[in-house]
Amino acid sequence: MADAVAGRDKCGEPRLVSLPLSRIRVIMKSSPEVSSINQEALVLTAKATELFVQYLATYSYRHGSGKERKALTYSDLSNTAEESETFQFLADILPKKILASKYLKMLKEKRDEEENDSGDGSAGDEAES
């Protein structure tokens, strides 16, 4: 059990989790379906979160370019989210970094496409009336 100890609390007692339980409680309570949270469920959620983050970081480090530099980078995490089927659900949360100029260009192109699409549809509506 000593292996699972991640730190010590204010009284010097061993802690099973290192994430702040108050923050996790706030996140859990933000769901409209949750009215109360059992302490055991809170600790288990915190521990599961820690294990998930550890697994994501380890996987990203091993399969990314960080191994050569002995560092884990954001691009390693975003590549993992994009390429790994296991972490595909994180692709929206960990998008690839792009330059601001490239993003603005993409937004402009998207707006132009929307204007062209809406322009074609409105002309057809006028002809029918």
Side-chain angles (χ1 to χ4, degrees):
M1 187 72 175
D3 298 349
V5 176
R8 301 206 174 265
D9 65 7
K10 294 175 187 172
C11 303
E13 294 291 318
R15 288 181 45 173
L16 293 176
V17 295
S18 58
L19 292 174
L21 296 179
S22 60
R23 296 276 176 109
I24 294 172
R25 181 185 311 273
V26 168
I27 293 168
M28 290 173 75
K29 282 207 164 218
S30 69
S31 174
E33 294 89 27
V34 176
S35 57
S36 65
I37 300 167
N38 185 336
Q39 185 67 20
E40 289 87 11
L42 182 64
V43 172
L44 286 174
T45 302
K47 189 62 181 175
T49 303
E50 286 180 10
L51 292 173
F52 171 76
V53 170
Q54 180 181 4
Y55 180 67
L56 172 64
T58 303
Y59 185 94
S60 298
Y61 180 78
R62 286 188 183 145
H63 294 88
S65 61
K67 219 172 188 181
E68 293 98 42
R69 296 184 312 261
K70 294 188 177 184
L72 179 64
T73 63
Y74 179 86
S75 62
D76 294 333
L77 293 169
S78 65
N79 287 338
T80 296
E82 187 176 298
E83 296 166 5
S84 170
E85 190 175 320
T86 304
F87 298 108
Q88 190 69 45
F89 71 98
L90 293 173
D92 292 339
I93 298 169
L94 294 169
K96 285 195 174 268
K97 284 187 175 181
I98 61 172
L99 295 173
S101 58
K102 190 173 181 181
Y103 178 72
L104 292 172
K105 183 179 177 185
M106 287 170 41
L107 281 177
K108 185 178 184 308
E109 289 171 359
K110 187 176 180 181
R111 264 192 245 118
D112 291 345
E113 286 176 14
E114 288 174 356
E115 287 175 5
N116 290 339
D117 290 344
S118 65
D120 295 340
S122 61
D125 292 342
E126 290 174 11
E128 289 176 15
S129 38

